[in-house]
Amino acid sequence: MTDPQLPPSAPYGSSVPPVPPAHGYAPPPAYSAPPGAYAAPLGGYRDAAPAGGYQAPSAPESRSAALGVVALILGIVAAIVAPVLGGISGYAIGREVPGIAEYIGRYTDGTLSFLIPVRDQVLLGEIGLWAGTLSGVFAIVLGIVAIARRRGRGWGIAALVLGAAGAIIFFTVFSIAMGAGAAAGDVSIYGS
């Protein structure tokens, strides 16, 4: 069956003559893009070559690892230097605790004034505590920034771990040293 709206099909090998234009009919004007529109490349997008052609990726730019190194130094202060100060002061305080036990009965006002004989050691312990706290917080912050900006990423990770573990290490070392000092002070006062 043939469709009455379509012309009859031509046999193979024969060409169909072009259809003459209708009387008074003009072909539509060529398409032009509206003003301000994006101009498509001639030949369509499929045939267009990328601007500039293909370029091999360049080596990543070298970034300074100084931020990560600074964070690591602060982490070392928080995890090693501050606990050493805490251990020294804890041992000295613990060594004097049995000797100042007689003062505890005199000072019943609820203050820590019985620690007057070891005030220098307490001050050293406080300096270690606050130095470790500040350097630990800064090590954590700078470590996160170094990791995020890829400026000494490995150093930043190590600083983050040391900064976070610094407080735990400080209080563990301080407690053990104070206990060891109290045991040594007890032996020196009361004998073995």
Side-chain angles (χ1 to χ4, degrees):
M1 277 200 115
T2 60
D3 189 0
Q5 294 178 351
L6 296 176
S9 61
Y12 292 105
S14 66
S15 65
V16 177
V19 177
H23 187 276
Y25 173 78
Y31 173 78
S32 64
Y38 179 75
L42 296 176
Y45 289 103
R46 183 183 61 149
D47 299 331
Y54 174 76
Q55 295 178 351
S58 61
E61 68 179 64
S62 174
R63 295 184 175 182
S64 172
L67 187 63
V69 172
V70 169
L72 180 67
I73 291 169
L74 290 171
I76 290 172
V77 169
I80 296 174
V81 175
V84 167
L85 291 176
I88 292 169
S89 67
Y91 184 81
I93 293 169
R95 186 160 172 88
E96 297 297 322
V97 165
I100 61 173
E102 63 187 69
Y103 296 112
I104 294 176
R106 289 188 206 163
Y107 301 107
T108 57
D109 56 358
T111 63
L112 296 176
S113 55
F114 64 89
L115 290 174
I116 289 174
V118 289
R119 64 182 172 267
D120 294 337
Q121 291 83 6
V122 171
L123 180 63
L124 180 65
E126 283 189 50
I127 290 172
L129 173 72
W130 289 112
T133 300
L134 289 175
S135 62
V137 168
F138 282 124
I140 290 171
V141 170
L142 290 178
I144 290 172
V145 171
I147 293 168
R149 292 189 178 176
R150 297 181 187 267
R151 295 190 178 269
R153 201 168 196 195
W155 301 109
I157 292 171
L160 186 64
V161 170
L162 288 175
I168 298 168
I169 296 170
F170 178 85
F171 286 112
T172 303
V173 168
F174 182 80
S175 301
I176 291 171
M178 192 165 176
D186 188 38
V187 168
S188 66
I189 290 175
Y190 301 112
S192 51

